[in-house]
Amino acid sequence: MKLFVDTADVKELETCLERGFPSGVTTNPLLVARSGCTDFGAHIRSMIDALIRHDAKIPLSVEVNTADPNKMADQAEEFVREFGDYPYLNIKIPIGWNELKVIAQLAKRNVPVNCTCCMSYNQAIMAASAGAKYVSLFWGRIRDIGYDAGSVVRATRESLDRRGLDSEIIVGSIRHIADVNEAIQAGGHILTVPPKFFAQMCAHPKTDEAVAQFMTEFRAWEQAVQASQMKRAA
């Protein structure tokens, strides 16, 4: 199981990279729009620069920002030209009948594709069959429509394994820590998680309690030793 950082915020990304755990980065037009940037290309370049500074040889998924499949292929080509010097670039293409053609074209050119916005088993299998390197299942949004997200992830994982397809499942739309735990148990290869959850994933009140107890008792011992040494010296 791998953890990807779901962000377009360079500072958030660097905070995670400093801690060494990210196996990849995903972003999307909504995250870019919320990042406060004013130049899309320059902003993606700043993310690539951050990855290079931290020697993070990990995939970066950049999503097309058009809903027109006829324009997606051109935009994907543009991204490859502009950002393809970063060897771990992935192009995010949403699932759809006409979008499958774009996925297949890119896959034939060995351009890694992250097929995004998958809400069902069928969509994920179609994307994988078309050559997508990653299929992104949206855990929280699947639940919004009343389906068991865990069952969708498990069924997709079983089919990919049985058919010997190389596609990996990215579980996104993570809204709670419980989503992380359940998605791992359901068999997602990768979780892409908003940065705000990572600190929570490292925290536990019993950990704080144990560390405080260790330090309190060590300091008491340390003070007792110093007092004893001073007494002998006197």
Side-chain angles (χ1 to χ4, degrees):
M1 191 282 304
K2 293 174 279 191
L3 291 173
F4 282 15
V5 184
D6 195 27
T7 189
D9 186 305
V10 178
K11 289 184 179 179
E12 285 183 338
L13 174 58
E14 294 210 79
T15 296
C16 294
L17 292 172
E18 289 167 355
R19 287 156 176 79
F21 66 84
S23 296
V25 186
T26 58
T27 188
N28 62 50
L30 177 62
L31 292 175
V32 172
R34 289 177 174 175
S35 72
C37 75
T38 56
D39 184 311
F40 176 81
H43 190 71
I44 297 301
R45 180 57 60 184
S46 70
M47 295 182 71
I48 291 172
D49 289 344
L51 292 167
I52 292 171
R53 278 197 303 275
H54 290 271
D55 195 29
K57 299 178 176 66
I58 57 177
L60 167 66
S61 290
V62 179
E63 185 170 348
V64 295
N65 49 56
T66 176
D68 183 346
N70 294 320
K71 296 179 181 178
M72 285 179 187
D74 292 338
Q75 195 169 77
E77 295 288 351
E78 179 184 333
F79 288 175
V80 170
R81 285 193 301 272
E82 190 169 358
F83 311 122
D85 57 306
Y86 183 70
Y88 312 102
L89 178 70
N90 290 260
I91 306 299
K92 287 178 79 173
I93 304 291
I95 186 61
W97 177 243
N98 292 323
E99 288 82 350
L100 285 182
K101 183 177 178 180
V102 180
I103 293 170
Q105 289 173 344
L106 293 172
K108 286 176 182 176
R109 292 187 50 237
N110 294 316
V111 176
V113 175
N114 174 352
C115 182
T116 191
C117 297
C118 295
M119 308 291 172
S120 70
Y121 165 85
N122 310 70
Q123 290 177 315
I125 293 302
M126 289 293 283
S129 299
K133 180 177 181 180
Y134 301 109
V135 291
S136 289
L137 284 162
F138 279 21
W139 186 275
R141 291 178 186 256
I142 292 170
R143 284 187 159 177
D144 288 345
I145 55 178
Y147 286 88
D148 179 4
S151 295
V152 174
V153 172
R154 275 190 293 274
T156 303
R157 176 65 184 266
E158 289 169 4
S159 292
L160 294 180
D161 290 347
R162 186 170 59 251
R163 291 181 57 187
L165 293 171
D166 292 331
S167 299
E168 291 185 282
I169 300 167
I170 299 178
V171 179
S173 187
I174 298 296
R175 298 174 180 171
H176 310 281
I177 292 294
D179 294 343
V180 175
N181 302 339
E182 291 173 15
I184 293 171
Q185 294 164 14
H189 297 94
I190 300 160
L191 270 70
T192 187
V193 182
K196 67 179 182 179
F197 290 117
F198 290 124
Q200 297 175 36
M201 290 167 67
C202 295
H204 196 284
K206 280 294 182 181
T207 299
D208 297 339
E209 178 186 297
V211 171
Q213 181 184 7
F214 296 162
M215 294 302 103
T216 297
E217 297 200 16
F218 183 83
R219 295 291 170 249
W221 168 82
E222 193 174 45
Q223 290 171 6
V225 169
Q226 290 174 350
S228 177
Q229 291 172 341
M230 291 174 63
K231 185 176 181 181
R232 286 198 299 269

